[in-house]
Amino acid sequence: MSSALTQWLRKLLPNLDHRVWILAAGRLLSQVGIGFTLFYAPIFFTTQVGLSATQVGLGIGLGSVAGIGGRFLGGSLVDSPTAGRRPTLLASALVSAVADGVLILANNFPIFLLGNLLMGFGVGLYWPAAESVAADITRPKQRNEAYALVRLADNIGLGVGVIAGGALISLTGAYRALFAIDGVTFLLFFGIIYVAIAETRPADNPARSLLQGWGHALRDTSLMVYALVNVLFTGYLAQIQSTLPLYLNRFAGGEQTISEGTLSLLFTGHVVLAAIAQLPVARWLNRYRPAQGLMVSALLWGLGFGLVWRSGTGSLPLVWGGLALGVMALAMVAYTPIGSALVAAIAPETLRGVYLSVNSMCWAVGYLIGPPLGGWAIDQGAAVAHGFWLGLAATVAPALVILVWLDRRLRRQGV
């Protein structure tokens, strides 16, 4: 029985370098800590510390800006002969742990802001380093599954953290303990990287100035064209977390709408489906070129937006809303790993960190644009809110045109 189970697991799970599994395990651990604080920090700082919702929103928003700075510096450090992947990962874990220490002590807005700036900066340092390590220790054909594995670890850790954090708050009400636990998970992540992950940066990386690598990346037409699509896709993803719950609650099915409790079940199903489908979809997309895989994602996004519109304008909103979330879960898992794999394929080996930093910055820009745009549409009333989803579906057409062009260009370049 155990032998059969072992064989089944070997077929199911990707055959990757053990360091990818270690990196995923460390990320799962740190995401558990992030899940502890993700939804509960704003509640704590408004209801118990006495900050206004505007102050909390400003602190979180400025933390995202610091994250852009962290990504910029992280991309350069990752490629630097005097730094590298491992020191940057270790620095990201330490800065994030210090941020939690500051948030434990925060009793006013300046300290709260400092904690968020440090946390954003630490997370910004993490992404170029982690994605560069995954690219360094895998072959091109393995990267979809490697990035899918890390994303799966992210989702599982985050889900466990949110549930466990909610349970701790309901039992003890000790909000500050959440930040202590989050800080401990970052220190444990630091320990895992320190013990188990050696430097993976290619030994022949030339020394260069801080801006030299960025100049090369920003002149790379393939990367910049992909960045346009990437910002669009991350804007799509942001709508699931910000605009879609409000739309289904206020406008789905006319007067019927969808209650908060039912929405919770729908979005839980969305997360579960994404986790189940992450590795199988990544493996299935290995048969296609990267840009073709992104075309599959774009078509799924367009179908999902059409289903959201149907949920708001017709009968059976629960059915259409559930189908929309299911389709968009598949669109998301088709997009997230293959996007990183494509950028790793485009990047010169000596500039992998900078290129993946550009990829990560697209996420920051997409999340900066997407939620305010969706919120504006919701505030304009039903007609504009319904039309917003049709407008998003229409943007899939130019995205497909760009991806077809990019696919032809990358084929000529042998990518």
Side-chain angles (χ1 to χ4, degrees):
M1 184 69 176
S2 60
S3 176
L5 178 61
T6 301
Q7 291 179 356
W8 179 78
L9 285 173
R10 283 178 177 172
K11 289 182 180 179
L12 178 66
L13 299 175
N15 181 23
L16 298 170
D17 189 297
H18 72 280
R19 290 170 292 179
V20 178
W21 292 94
I22 293 170
L23 185 66
R27 184 60 183 170
L28 186 149
L29 183 65
S30 63
Q31 281 293 97
V32 168
I34 291 172
F36 263 81
T37 62
L38 184 65
F39 295 117
Y40 310 112
I43 297 171
F44 169 66
F45 283 106
T46 53
T47 61
Q48 297 197 20
V49 176
L51 302 182
S52 69
T54 300
Q55 287 177 316
V56 170
L58 181 61
I60 294 173
L62 290 175
S64 297
V65 174
I68 294 175
R71 287 168 170 86
F72 175 81
L73 180 60
S76 298
L77 290 176
V78 160
D79 290 333
S80 170
T82 56
R85 278 65 155 151
R86 185 171 180 265
T88 308
L89 273 177
L90 293 174
S92 76
L94 278 183
V95 171
S96 299
V98 170
D100 275 312
V102 173
L103 289 170
I104 290 172
L105 302 174
N107 55 8
N108 55 41
F109 178 69
I111 301 177
F112 170 76
L113 176 60
L114 176 61
N116 276 278
L117 290 174
L118 288 170
M119 186 63 75
F121 187 74
V123 171
L125 288 175
Y126 167 82
W127 282 111
E131 296 203 327
S132 295
V133 169
D136 292 339
I137 60 180
T138 53
R139 298 187 302 274
K141 283 290 185 182
Q142 296 177 311
R143 285 175 189 157
N144 281 358
E145 291 182 281
Y147 286 124
L149 180 66
V150 175
R151 295 288 180 185
L152 176 61
D154 275 357
N155 292 335
I156 293 174
L158 196 62
V160 170
V162 169
I163 294 169
L168 180 65
I169 290 301
S170 64
L171 290 173
T172 67
Y175 280 94
R176 291 193 189 273
L178 300 180
F179 299 107
I181 294 170
D182 190 27
V184 169
T185 64
F186 279 119
L187 291 176
L188 290 173
F189 179 58
F190 177 95
I192 289 172
I193 299 302
Y194 186 84
V195 171
I197 303 290
E199 179 58 57
T200 63
R201 179 184 53 78
D204 58 349
N205 267 28
R208 55 170 58 88
S209 69
L210 182 65
L211 297 178
Q212 191 175 353
W214 283 92
H216 186 283
L218 295 176
R219 290 192 300 271
D220 189 321
T221 302
S222 297
L223 179 65
M224 292 298 101
V225 169
Y226 169 67
L228 291 175
V229 178
N230 199 15
V231 168
L232 191 62
F233 276 26
T234 54
Y236 292 165
L237 194 57
Q239 303 306 327
I240 298 177
Q241 300 170 6
S242 60
T243 311
L244 186 56
L246 287 173
Y247 177 77
L248 293 177
N249 183 243
R250 294 188 188 181
F251 300 114
E255 295 182 358
Q256 300 174 52
T257 70
I258 298 177
S259 69
E260 287 85 349
T262 305
L263 278 177
S264 176
L265 292 175
L266 283 178
F267 278 87
T268 299
H270 166 81
V271 172
V272 170
L273 176 59
I276 293 171
Q278 186 81 74
L279 289 174
V281 168
R283 183 168 296 174
W284 180 75
L285 287 174
N286 272 337
R287 69 188 70 185
Y288 300 106
R289 294 187 297 274
Q292 289 179 319
L294 292 173
M295 292 177 208
V296 172
S297 178
L299 291 171
L300 289 170
W301 282 117
L303 175 59
F305 294 142
L307 290 169
V308 174
W309 171 82
R310 188 71 178 86
S311 74
T313 57
S315 56
L316 303 175
L318 192 58
V319 173
W320 296 113
L323 284 172
L325 280 164
V327 169
M328 288 192 286
L330 297 177
M332 178 177 69
V333 299
Y335 153 61
T336 47
I338 208 168
S340 297
L342 184 148
V343 174
I346 292 174
E349 193 175 72
T350 56
L351 290 176
R352 190 171 279 159
V354 167
Y355 272 60
L356 287 166
S357 182
V358 171
N359 178 59
S360 183
M361 283 187 181
C362 292
W363 282 68
V365 174
Y367 271 81
L368 185 65
I369 296 171
L373 186 61
W376 172 85
I378 293 292
D379 286 340
Q380 303 312 302
V384 174
H386 295 325
F388 175 70
W389 301 102
L390 293 179
L392 286 179
T395 64
V396 168
L400 285 170
V401 171
I402 293 172
L403 287 170
V404 168
W405 180 88
L406 182 62
D407 183 49
R408 291 174 179 171
R409 179 181 175 87
L410 294 178
R411 272 191 295 168
R412 289 196 298 270
Q413 294 175 346
V415 177

